[in-house]
Amino acid sequence: MQNEVMFAGFGGQGILLSAKILAHAAMEEGFEVVWIPSYGPEMRGGTAYCTVVVSDRPIGSPIIKNPGHLVAMNKPSLLKFAPVVKPGGVILINSSLVPDRSGRGDVNELSVPVTDIAKELGSVKAANIVALSAFVAKSKIVPWESIKRCIHDEFKEKTKFMELNMKATEEGRKAGEA
Amino acid sequence: MAKVLMKGNEAIGEAAIRAGCLNYFAYPITPQSEVAEYLSKRMPEAGGVFLQGESEVAVGYMIFGAAGAGARVFTTSSSPGVSLMSEAISYIAGAQCPAVFVNIIRGGPGLGGILPSQADYFQATKGGGHGDYRLLVMAPASVQEAVEMVMKAFPLAEKYRNPVMILGDGLIGQMMEPVEFPDGLRSEPTNKDDWATNGMDSRNSDKQNLVKSLFLDPKALNDNNLALKAKYDRMKIEEVRYEPYNLDSPYQALIVSYGTMSRVCRTVIDNLKSEGIEVAMIRPQTLFPFPEKAIHDAADVDGCKIVFSIEMSMGQMVEDVERCIKGKRPVEWYGKCGGDVPTPEEIMEIIKERL
């Protein structure tokens, strides 16, 4: 069994970090995992995307044309990647910035205003953690306790951001389970 | 030790420290820069030295100097940077000094692009610099294998008193995978008193050592080249490494592929198997010495109709594959070299067309 999640958005939205936390959780669960960034002449405000591949056997091609799931943090990401998501996958749309839908009838679509939720919690910077948590709660790609622990681990040396991000984790879960 | 999730570039830096190398000189270049970033912090913590050279030309000679003085030393770069170091690499090989070079290849020629490529195959295996020298070249296909190859590279460089090159590509450097650093691959630097210019005070000998690549006397130069050749011949006997895949099936085609490209080919082979088409692969882990016999023997079995060399270059390794097969089977190249990694789907199509 192999599963792939594409995280996509603007550079600066924490795409690479939320993907890394998911990869970490999958590794802790004993899966094979690869985290592949789009690396290029990227900058803040440019496009950033990152794929996490989770598998129960050694992972072959690390380049994924059709991901199982998509977390779209901005509109260009949704337009570009929604059509290539495999049927049955989860597409999470950041409805704070993206008024559109995926236009797919064969996927599990979830619109969450992750940017607004993060702002209400105190900082727009936590939007990626809201999105990650909502996505995991919905897709159950890794156990909930596992992602929560890995988010906690990520911020354990950045204590001033801990409370914000743990709140973001909880709000994301609620949105994902709604 | 538990597995940790690390980016290839960072894992390569950590592996060198774990292998007992505490001297690192480098110059930043995408997609390799994270090695320098990581080691600028980690080397001082580990009691080692990180020095950013003013250019890759300078870095090459810093490596030569440290290696000639008997220190374990390595550098990392990407394609254009390795071109600049190639003069020094030739000198280091000629003077028989051990050193480790890592090339996280990007697209070329010239400045090319910053995405993954395997277009430095010729540079790594056939020269790069001038003169009759060879590098022992290893090509990892995962972050874990990159770690293990870096850790093995130092004792190998010392065994042969020759530069070793790890040939990765942008993806190996940029992706994260779970890794562990095997304690069994830690090694102590060998005693270099016999030849290194490590100072008369530091060794119990009256013999003066001289590290040089200049031999004006024709016989002396020929003798030096014969000594180098003897080492390369020994590598061909003792250091060939490869991984067979699906070789025990009744395969109709054989793929030869290495590094990131070989992982895509593994997916191709798995997918074709589920469609009832058997294809096997030899994945060279050493590019020099090349697994000549393994490729020849795998291609020579009854039922194998064709051999594919699949690489992210415009057809470089294919020349070595043809050399191994000696005309017994048709050999075809497939690849791309702009930064897009060929997908399993397009390779499957090519193979099905030919079968």
Side-chain angles (χ1 to χ4, degrees):
Chain A
M1 196 277 301
Q2 177 172 305
N3 223 327
E4 311 90 10
V5 187
M6 176 170 272
F7 292 82
F10 292 123
Q13 279 184 315
I15 300 297
L16 301 184
L17 180 66
S18 44
K20 186 188 139 194
I21 296 172
L22 176 63
H24 183 205
M27 179 183 80
E28 299 275 300
E29 291 300 314
F31 290 109
E32 300 281 343
V33 56
V34 185
W35 171 99
I36 311 116
S38 62
Y39 76 92
E42 317 288 15
M43 57 186 142
R44 192 170 295 260
T47 58
Y49 57 94
C50 183
T51 316
V52 175
V53 184
V54 178
S55 180
D56 54 7
R57 343 180 259 149
I59 295 163
S61 174
I63 303 293
I64 303 299
K65 220 167 75 178
N66 298 103
H69 309 284
L70 170 67
V71 176
M73 294 290 281
N74 68 0
K75 185 167 172 171
S77 304
L78 182 70
L79 294 179
K80 185 169 181 189
F81 298 117
V84 300
V85 173
K86 284 178 195 152
V90 170
I91 296 185
L92 187 145
I93 302 170
N94 176 9
S95 57
S96 304
L97 303 182
V98 191
D100 313 54
R101 314 288 296 204
S102 70
R104 294 272 305 261
D106 58 348
V107 297
N108 206 344
E109 187 177 296
L110 175 68
S111 278
V112 179
V114 297
T115 305
D116 293 330
I117 293 174
K119 275 184 193 161
E120 279 167 29
L121 293 173
S123 171
V124 67
K125 287 181 182 165
N128 60 335
I129 300 301
V130 177
L132 171 66
S133 306
F135 170 73
V136 170
K138 181 78 175 173
S139 67
K140 301 184 169 59
I141 187 165
V142 290
W144 174 253
E145 285 309 317
S146 177
I147 198 74
K148 191 175 166 187
R149 191 174 56 245
C150 289
I151 293 171
H152 187 272
D153 278 1
E154 185 62 39
F155 292 100
K156 70 180 177 210
E157 282 166 19
K158 304 166 196 160
T159 44
K160 64 177 176 175
F161 301 114
M162 178 68 91
E163 193 189 340
L164 169 70
N165 282 289
M166 293 324 289
K167 276 192 208 159
T169 305
E170 199 46 37
E171 290 305 311
R173 181 185 63 78
K174 285 182 200 161
E177 285 175 349
Chain B
M1 197 196 124
K3 285 192 174 181
V4 288
L5 188 64
M6 274 182 107
K7 206 170 199 190
N9 280 335
E10 297 179 345
I12 284 168
E14 184 63 31
I17 290 179
R18 304 283 181 115
C21 176
L22 293 175
N23 301 284
Y24 174 68
F25 311 124
Y27 190 86
I29 180 170
T30 306
Q32 159 278 159
S33 297
E34 292 89 350
V35 190
E37 182 192 9
Y38 181 82
L39 287 179
S40 67
K41 181 161 181 279
R42 268 294 279 144
M43 268 299 181
E45 281 175 8
V49 174
F50 163 57
L51 187 63
Q52 180 175 322
E54 66 269 38
S55 75
E56 288 90 343
V57 176
V59 166
Y61 286 99
M62 290 174 177
I63 300 289
F64 189 13
R72 254 192 190 179
V73 63
F74 95 116
T75 187
T76 58
S77 190
S78 181
S79 312
V82 176
S83 293
L84 287 171
M85 290 177 188
S86 291
E87 180 189 61
I89 292 174
S90 166
Y91 279 59
I92 294 167
Q96 301 198 58
C97 293
V100 174
F101 291 81
V102 179
N103 182 359
I104 301 296
I105 311 178
R106 55 188 261 169
L111 276 179
I114 60 174
L115 294 172
S117 166
Q118 296 180 322
D120 297 353
Y121 179 90
F122 280 156
Q123 184 194 52
T125 62
K126 313 287 181 193
H130 58 283
D132 273 311
Y133 78 90
R134 297 286 195 160
L135 304 175
L136 201 166
V137 184
M138 297 191 274
S142 65
V143 176
Q144 180 64 40
E145 195 172 43
V147 161
E148 291 170 15
M149 284 178 173
V150 167
M151 293 182 82
K152 288 172 185 168
F154 293 97
L156 278 171
E158 288 165 11
K159 174 180 174 183
Y160 290 99
R161 279 179 58 191
N162 198 71
V164 172
M165 179 165 280
I166 311 292
L167 201 62
D169 61 65
L171 262 174
I172 295 291
Q174 291 296 322
M175 71 185 177
M176 282 194 203
E177 287 187 305
V179 288
E180 51 190 335
F181 299 90
D183 281 335
L185 292 181
R186 280 172 198 271
S187 58
E188 288 298 318
T190 53
N191 187 319
K192 302 181 178 82
D193 288 354
D194 280 348
W195 61 269
T197 52
N198 55 359
M200 298 294 283
D201 292 347
S202 72
R203 59 179 185 261
N204 184 22
S205 165
D206 292 332
K207 185 168 90 61
Q208 291 186 331
N209 290 339
L210 181 59
V211 170
K212 63 164 189 171
S213 65
L214 178 67
F215 299 90
L216 290 174
D217 173 51
K219 182 176 181 310
L221 180 56
N222 196 52
D223 286 348
N224 192 55
N225 276 311
L226 283 172
L228 298 185
K229 182 175 185 301
K231 296 195 300 188
Y232 307 140
D233 288 345
R234 186 178 167 199
M235 287 179 195
K236 288 180 187 176
I237 295 166
E238 295 181 20
E239 311 304 340
V240 174
R241 300 285 184 279
Y242 64 92
E243 183 187 54
Y245 193 70
N246 203 33
L247 211 64
D248 49 9
S249 73
Y251 56 92
Q252 297 172 266
L254 177 72
I255 291 175
V256 183
S257 189
Y258 67 97
T260 291
M261 199 65 252
S262 69
R263 293 174 67 136
V264 179
C265 291
R266 215 163 64 200
T267 299
V268 166
I269 291 169
D270 293 348
N271 290 352
L272 286 174
K273 190 189 261 301
S274 67
E275 294 180 20
I277 302 170
E278 296 288 359
V279 175
M281 175 163 68
I282 298 283
R283 173 173 78 88
Q285 292 164 301
T286 52
L287 299 177
F288 183 87
F290 198 62
E292 297 174 13
K293 186 174 183 305
I295 291 171
H296 171 273
D297 292 353
D300 203 29
V301 301
D302 289 339
C304 179
K305 295 183 216 156
I306 186 167
V307 180
F308 295 93
S309 179
I310 300 180
E311 42 187 318
M312 287 188 280
S313 76
M314 284 294 129
Q316 299 190 16
M317 183 177 68
V318 65
E319 293 188 10
D320 281 336
V321 174
E322 282 171 341
R323 191 167 54 81
C324 301
I325 305 237
K326 303 178 201 298
K328 289 182 179 170
R329 294 285 181 276
V331 177
E332 292 206 15
W333 159 84
Y334 183 72
K336 267 186 182 166
C337 205
D340 282 338
V341 179
T343 61
E345 292 76 17
E346 65 187 276
I347 296 170
M348 285 164 66
E349 203 169 303
I350 298 283
I351 292 175
K352 282 195 233 171
E353 244 172 50
R354 296 288 184 283
L355 282 179

